[in-house]
Each structure stands twice: as C-alpha cells, then as structure tokens.
Amino acid sequence: VACPGAVLTPWADDVDALLYNFMPGQEVGRAIASVLFGDVNPSARLPVTMPTTDNEVEFTTEQYPGMGLILTANYTENLLIGYRWYDANGVEPQFPFGHGLSYTSFEYAPACTATRNDATGVVTVTLDITNTGGTAGSEVAQLYAEMPVGLGEPLRQLKAFSKLALGAGETAAVSFELNTRDLSIWDEAVHAWTQGGVLGQSITMRIGGSSRDLRSECALLL
C-alpha cells in the first residue's frame, strides 16, 4: 500500500499480510523485494492510526477545514488526537498507532522498573525483552505514560521508544530516560510546563509493541 497517511483497508482480512510503504523513494523496489524475500526482517512501526471507517474520529467542519469567509478552525478535540482519541472513546482501530509485524516474535518481561534521580529529575525505566523466534530481528519498544486521573490528560501518551536488535533466543535490557519535561503538564494559568499537579502522585508506565499492545508495566511515585 502506497499512501501519504492513514488509509481505509476494508479488505485487510482477505489477504495474508499488508505492507505499507507510505511515500517511498526511488529504491522502493529493492526495499520491498528485500522484505518479501526475507533478506531483511521488517521492524517499522505505524506513525499513524489506521481507521476502520471514513472520519472515524468524527471531525466536524468547524474543526477542519474551519468555518467563515476566512476559514477559522476550532480545536475542540483538545488533546485527543490520533491514538489518544481512540483510547478515550474505546474505539478499536483497523491497525493501532505503533503497530508493525516481524518474521520473529518478542516477549516482554511483565514488570519493568522505574527509578528517579532526585538530583536531575530524570526517570529511568528498564525491562528485559526476549526474541522468542528462530530468526534475528529488531523490536521497537514503546513507552506510554498514564498520568494521574483528574489532570485533564489523555488516558496514556507515548513518551519514548527504543529499537532493540536481538538474535534468535537472545534477551537484552532496554532502557528509557524521561526528563522533567516528559512528565510535566501544560499549565494555562502560568503558561508553562509544570509538575505541580503531578508531584506526590503515581504515574503508570506501560511498555509494548504498539499503543494497543502493552505488555509490561510499572509505577513511579514522583
């Protein structure tokens, strides 16, 4: 499938696999052949959510392209863009944000560890990932943070990701570093990022292969 962004694929269940190449360059033929013939183990991930129906997120004309003689758009969706809208509304997409397949399989440790450096405020989240298949491959582990309830934030938000190359049967640790800004909330009153509403509360870290495939978790009290 060659497309510049999200596209409807109502026929997805009628084929064995889908290969999205978005807007490829002049070497696209060689690249696709390398994946199809197994010379390269695919490890890319979707940078968008693939919907099941047209305008699944129910954008209105007021939101896009806007109303009036000089088009004026109102961003009434607030922070619920992309996968955040799907999570907030409990809608199952065709393919979730961050999704991607491989010729091998990966297992995540069910529990991660999260520690905070009090001097710098940097939070380090670590877990083990195992290549449980019979061929070498790379996994893109994605960390989503769930902020405390009642702060007006989406259910969960992507905060970091890391690509890890593993041989068949190999296990390795993957680590993510989150700075103070990553775990802050925009305060409209002071017009700045702040942890005022977060300090003293627990943040849940969930890690997996996509926004809907989260297999490891841990919590951190700021």
mmCIF file of all heavy atoms in Angstrom, residues 159-188:
data_model
loop_
_atom_site.group_PDB
_atom_site.id
_atom_site.type_symbol
_atom_site.label_atom_id
_atom_site.label_comp_id
_atom_site.label_asym_id
_atom_site.label_seq_id
_atom_site.Cartn_x
_atom_site.Cartn_y
_atom_site.Cartn_z
ATOM 1 N N LYS A 159 5.784 8.449 25.369
ATOM 2 C CA LYS A 159 6.825 9.309 25.924
ATOM 3 C C LYS A 159 8.218 8.959 25.418
ATOM 4 O O LYS A 159 9.131 9.799 25.452
ATOM 5 C CB LYS A 159 6.808 9.229 27.456
ATOM 6 C CG LYS A 159 5.556 9.803 28.102
ATOM 7 C CD LYS A 159 5.429 11.299 27.820
ATOM 8 C CE LYS A 159 4.203 11.891 28.507
ATOM 9 N NZ LYS A 159 4.092 13.357 28.261
ATOM 10 N N ALA A 160 8.411 7.717 24.966
ATOM 11 C CA ALA A 160 9.726 7.311 24.481
ATOM 12 C C ALA A 160 9.596 6.004 23.709
ATOM 13 O O ALA A 160 8.620 5.266 23.882
ATOM 14 C CB ALA A 160 10.703 7.132 25.637
ATOM 15 N N PHE A 161 10.567 5.733 22.853
ATOM 16 C CA PHE A 161 10.628 4.434 22.177
ATOM 17 C C PHE A 161 12.089 4.090 21.919
ATOM 18 O O PHE A 161 12.956 4.962 21.873
ATOM 19 C CB PHE A 161 9.820 4.427 20.877
ATOM 20 C CG PHE A 161 10.288 5.416 19.836
ATOM 21 C CD1 PHE A 161 11.238 5.070 18.889
ATOM 22 C CD2 PHE A 161 9.760 6.701 19.817
ATOM 23 C CE1 PHE A 161 11.658 5.987 17.938
ATOM 24 C CE2 PHE A 161 10.174 7.627 18.863
ATOM 25 C CZ PHE A 161 11.136 7.268 17.925
ATOM 26 N N SER A 162 12.356 2.800 21.763
ATOM 27 C CA SER A 162 13.727 2.344 21.555
ATOM 28 C C SER A 162 13.725 1.102 20.682
ATOM 29 O O SER A 162 12.934 0.184 20.896
ATOM 30 C CB SER A 162 14.393 2.035 22.903
ATOM 31 O OG SER A 162 15.726 1.615 22.718
ATOM 32 N N LYS A 163 14.605 1.086 19.681
ATOM 33 C CA LYS A 163 14.719 -0.058 18.775
ATOM 34 C C LYS A 163 15.844 -0.966 19.246
ATOM 35 O O LYS A 163 16.979 -0.533 19.418
ATOM 36 C CB LYS A 163 14.976 0.432 17.352
ATOM 37 C CG LYS A 163 14.894 -0.667 16.296
ATOM 38 C CD LYS A 163 14.982 -0.063 14.905
ATOM 39 C CE LYS A 163 14.779 -1.099 13.828
ATOM 40 N NZ LYS A 163 14.808 -0.508 12.472
ATOM 41 N N LEU A 164 15.510 -2.240 19.436
ATOM 42 C CA LEU A 164 16.447 -3.195 20.017
ATOM 43 C C LEU A 164 16.636 -4.364 19.058
ATOM 44 O O LEU A 164 15.674 -5.044 18.703
ATOM 45 C CB LEU A 164 15.905 -3.689 21.364
ATOM 46 C CG LEU A 164 16.774 -4.614 22.196
ATOM 47 C CD1 LEU A 164 18.028 -3.882 22.667
ATOM 48 C CD2 LEU A 164 15.992 -5.137 23.394
ATOM 49 N N ALA A 165 17.886 -4.597 18.598
ATOM 50 C CA ALA A 165 18.206 -5.714 17.705
ATOM 51 C C ALA A 165 18.585 -6.927 18.544
ATOM 52 O O ALA A 165 19.464 -6.854 19.409
ATOM 53 C CB ALA A 165 19.350 -5.333 16.777
ATOM 54 N N LEU A 166 17.915 -8.060 18.277
ATOM 55 C CA LEU A 166 18.148 -9.275 19.054
ATOM 56 C C LEU A 166 18.322 -10.481 18.135
ATOM 57 O O LEU A 166 17.559 -10.653 17.171
ATOM 58 C CB LEU A 166 16.977 -9.534 20.007
ATOM 59 C CG LEU A 166 16.734 -8.523 21.129
ATOM 60 C CD1 LEU A 166 15.417 -8.808 21.807
ATOM 61 C CD2 LEU A 166 17.880 -8.565 22.132
ATOM 62 N N GLY A 167 19.294 -11.326 18.436
ATOM 63 C CA GLY A 167 19.439 -12.582 17.723
ATOM 64 C C GLY A 167 18.395 -13.568 18.204
ATOM 65 O O GLY A 167 17.724 -13.359 19.223
ATOM 66 N N ALA A 168 18.228 -14.659 17.477
ATOM 67 C CA ALA A 168 17.249 -15.676 17.863
ATOM 68 C C ALA A 168 17.545 -16.179 19.274
ATOM 69 O O ALA A 168 18.671 -16.578 19.581
ATOM 70 C CB ALA A 168 17.284 -16.828 16.869
ATOM 71 N N GLY A 169 16.539 -16.127 20.149
ATOM 72 C CA GLY A 169 16.692 -16.598 21.519
ATOM 73 C C GLY A 169 17.407 -15.643 22.453
ATOM 74 O O GLY A 169 17.557 -15.936 23.642
ATOM 75 N N GLU A 170 17.833 -14.501 21.960
ATOM 76 C CA GLU A 170 18.598 -13.558 22.782
ATOM 77 C C GLU A 170 17.687 -12.686 23.655
ATOM 78 O O GLU A 170 16.598 -12.294 23.242
ATOM 79 C CB GLU A 170 19.447 -12.652 21.887
ATOM 80 C CG GLU A 170 20.321 -11.670 22.653
ATOM 81 C CD GLU A 170 21.122 -10.755 21.735
ATOM 82 O OE1 GLU A 170 20.984 -10.865 20.494
ATOM 83 O OE2 GLU A 170 21.875 -9.910 22.260
ATOM 84 N N THR A 171 18.158 -12.384 24.855
ATOM 85 C CA THR A 171 17.478 -11.475 25.777
ATOM 86 C C THR A 171 18.383 -10.292 26.069
ATOM 87 O O THR A 171 19.591 -10.457 26.262
ATOM 88 C CB THR A 171 17.125 -12.179 27.102
ATOM 89 O OG1 THR A 171 16.226 -13.259 26.850
ATOM 90 C CG2 THR A 171 16.465 -11.204 28.078
ATOM 91 N N ALA A 172 17.805 -9.106 26.083
ATOM 92 C CA ALA A 172 18.583 -7.907 26.409
ATOM 93 C C ALA A 172 17.684 -6.912 27.127
ATOM 94 O O ALA A 172 16.455 -6.956 27.013
ATOM 95 C CB ALA A 172 19.183 -7.282 25.149
ATOM 96 N N ALA A 173 18.318 -6.013 27.849
ATOM 97 C CA ALA A 173 17.576 -4.974 28.571
ATOM 98 C C ALA A 173 17.448 -3.742 27.690
ATOM 99 O O ALA A 173 18.370 -3.392 26.951
ATOM 100 C CB ALA A 173 18.288 -4.614 29.867
ATOM 101 N N VAL A 174 16.302 -3.115 27.760
ATOM 102 C CA VAL A 174 16.078 -1.850 27.069
ATOM 103 C C VAL A 174 15.732 -0.806 28.126
ATOM 104 O O VAL A 174 14.998 -1.096 29.074
ATOM 105 C CB VAL A 174 14.954 -1.964 26.014
ATOM 106 C CG1 VAL A 174 13.641 -2.375 26.648
ATOM 107 C CG2 VAL A 174 14.791 -0.654 25.261
ATOM 108 N N SER A 175 16.296 0.392 27.975
ATOM 109 C CA SER A 175 16.069 1.459 28.947
ATOM 110 C C SER A 175 15.559 2.714 28.272
ATOM 111 O O SER A 175 15.919 3.013 27.128
ATOM 112 C CB SER A 175 17.368 1.780 29.704
ATOM 113 O OG SER A 175 17.765 0.703 30.521
ATOM 114 N N PHE A 176 14.724 3.424 28.978
ATOM 115 C CA PHE A 176 14.187 4.704 28.519
ATOM 116 C C PHE A 176 14.518 5.753 29.577
ATOM 117 O O PHE A 176 14.409 5.476 30.775
ATOM 118 C CB PHE A 176 12.663 4.647 28.348
ATOM 119 C CG PHE A 176 12.169 3.514 27.512
ATOM 120 C CD1 PHE A 176 11.879 2.282 28.089
ATOM 121 C CD2 PHE A 176 11.966 3.666 26.149
ATOM 122 C CE1 PHE A 176 11.393 1.228 27.317
ATOM 123 C CE2 PHE A 176 11.496 2.623 25.373
ATOM 124 C CZ PHE A 176 11.208 1.399 25.957
ATOM 125 N N GLU A 177 14.882 6.938 29.133
ATOM 126 C CA GLU A 177 15.117 8.037 30.064
ATOM 127 C C GLU A 177 14.099 9.143 29.807
ATOM 128 O O GLU A 177 13.962 9.622 28.685
ATOM 129 C CB GLU A 177 16.542 8.587 29.918
ATOM 130 C CG GLU A 177 17.598 7.683 30.525
ATOM 131 C CD GLU A 177 18.929 8.396 30.726
ATOM 132 O OE1 GLU A 177 19.082 9.526 30.214
ATOM 133 O OE2 GLU A 177 19.804 7.816 31.399
ATOM 134 N N LEU A 178 13.380 9.517 30.863
ATOM 135 C CA LEU A 178 12.367 10.563 30.775
ATOM 136 C C LEU A 178 12.817 11.744 31.632
ATOM 137 O O LEU A 178 13.138 11.573 32.816
ATOM 138 C CB LEU A 178 11.015 10.046 31.279
ATOM 139 C CG LEU A 178 10.497 8.762 30.624
ATOM 140 C CD1 LEU A 178 9.182 8.338 31.278
ATOM 141 C CD2 LEU A 178 10.301 8.951 29.129
ATOM 142 N N ASN A 179 12.840 12.926 31.028
ATOM 143 C CA ASN A 179 13.238 14.098 31.806
ATOM 144 C C ASN A 179 12.014 14.769 32.435
ATOM 145 O O ASN A 179 10.878 14.316 32.262
ATOM 146 C CB ASN A 179 14.026 15.086 30.932
ATOM 147 C CG ASN A 179 13.250 15.529 29.710
ATOM 148 O OD1 ASN A 179 12.031 15.669 29.752
ATOM 149 N ND2 ASN A 179 13.950 15.771 28.603
ATOM 150 N N THR A 180 12.261 15.835 33.159
ATOM 151 C CA THR A 180 11.170 16.519 33.864
ATOM 152 C C THR A 180 10.085 16.985 32.902
ATOM 153 O O THR A 180 8.897 16.896 33.203
ATOM 154 C CB THR A 180 11.728 17.728 34.645
ATOM 155 O OG1 THR A 180 12.720 17.275 35.563
ATOM 156 C CG2 THR A 180 10.624 18.428 35.424
ATOM 157 N N ARG A 181 10.477 17.477 31.747
ATOM 158 C CA ARG A 181 9.515 17.952 30.744
ATOM 159 C C ARG A 181 8.606 16.823 30.278
ATOM 160 O O ARG A 181 7.401 17.018 30.052
ATOM 161 C CB ARG A 181 10.289 18.553 29.569
ATOM 162 C CG ARG A 181 9.496 18.773 28.300
ATOM 163 C CD ARG A 181 8.438 19.864 28.451
ATOM 164 N NE ARG A 181 7.810 20.101 27.180
ATOM 165 C CZ ARG A 181 6.898 19.299 26.612
ATOM 166 N NH1 ARG A 181 6.500 18.211 27.246
ATOM 167 N NH2 ARG A 181 6.397 19.592 25.435
ATOM 168 N N ASP A 182 9.149 15.607 30.134
ATOM 169 C CA ASP A 182 8.355 14.466 29.679
ATOM 170 C C ASP A 182 7.207 14.150 30.638
ATOM 171 O O ASP A 182 6.164 13.637 30.219
ATOM 172 C CB ASP A 182 9.238 13.219 29.540
ATOM 173 C CG ASP A 182 10.268 13.354 28.427
ATOM 174 O OD1 ASP A 182 9.942 13.975 27.398
ATOM 175 O OD2 ASP A 182 11.386 12.838 28.601
ATOM 176 N N LEU A 183 7.407 14.437 31.912
ATOM 177 C CA LEU A 183 6.415 14.094 32.925
ATOM 178 C C LEU A 183 5.775 15.351 33.517
ATOM 179 O O LEU A 183 5.400 15.380 34.685
ATOM 180 C CB LEU A 183 7.059 13.239 34.017
ATOM 181 C CG LEU A 183 7.673 11.916 33.522
ATOM 182 C CD1 LEU A 183 8.343 11.173 34.656
ATOM 183 C CD2 LEU A 183 6.604 11.036 32.874
ATOM 184 N N SER A 184 5.663 16.376 32.698
ATOM 185 C CA SER A 184 5.020 17.623 33.121
ATOM 186 C C SER A 184 3.711 17.825 32.370
ATOM 187 O O SER A 184 3.439 17.163 31.364
ATOM 188 C CB SER A 184 5.948 18.819 32.856
ATOM 189 O OG SER A 184 7.122 18.745 33.626
ATOM 190 N N ILE A 185 2.912 18.765 32.853
ATOM 191 C CA ILE A 185 1.618 19.111 32.247
ATOM 192 C C ILE A 185 1.601 20.602 31.964
ATOM 193 O O ILE A 185 2.103 21.401 32.758
ATOM 194 C CB ILE A 185 0.460 18.715 33.189
ATOM 195 C CG1 ILE A 185 0.394 17.186 33.321
ATOM 196 C CG2 ILE A 185 -0.869 19.260 32.687
ATOM 197 C CD1 ILE A 185 -0.633 16.708 34.301
ATOM 198 N N TRP A 186 1.033 20.975 30.833
ATOM 199 C CA TRP A 186 0.950 22.389 30.469
ATOM 200 C C TRP A 186 -0.062 23.099 31.357
ATOM 201 O O TRP A 186 -1.224 22.691 31.445
ATOM 202 C CB TRP A 186 0.570 22.557 29.012
ATOM 203 C CG TRP A 186 0.504 23.985 28.570
ATOM 204 C CD1 TRP A 186 -0.622 24.731 28.363
ATOM 205 C CD2 TRP A 186 1.612 24.847 28.296
ATOM 206 N NE1 TRP A 186 -0.293 25.999 27.974
ATOM 207 C CE2 TRP A 186 1.075 26.104 27.930
ATOM 208 C CE3 TRP A 186 2.991 24.687 28.328
ATOM 209 C CZ2 TRP A 186 1.885 27.186 27.599
ATOM 210 C CZ3 TRP A 186 3.797 25.755 27.992
ATOM 211 C CH2 TRP A 186 3.241 26.993 27.633
ATOM 212 N N ASP A 187 0.396 24.127 32.042
ATOM 213 C CA ASP A 187 -0.463 24.909 32.935
ATOM 214 C C ASP A 187 -0.837 26.208 32.222
ATOM 215 O O ASP A 187 0.009 27.087 32.019
ATOM 216 C CB ASP A 187 0.279 25.201 34.238
ATOM 217 C CG ASP A 187 -0.625 25.827 35.300
ATOM 218 O OD1 ASP A 187 -1.548 26.594 34.926
ATOM 219 O OD2 ASP A 187 -0.403 25.558 36.490
ATOM 220 N N GLU A 188 -2.097 26.325 31.829
ATOM 221 C CA GLU A 188 -2.542 27.515 31.096
ATOM 222 C C GLU A 188 -2.449 28.778 31.946
ATOM 223 O O GLU A 188 -2.241 29.871 31.422
ATOM 224 C CB GLU A 188 -3.979 27.320 30.610
ATOM 225 C CG GLU A 188 -4.134 26.230 29.561
ATOM 226 C CD GLU A 188 -5.553 26.121 29.060
ATOM 227 O OE1 GLU A 188 -6.411 26.916 29.503
ATOM 228 O OE2 GLU A 188 -5.818 25.235 28.229
#
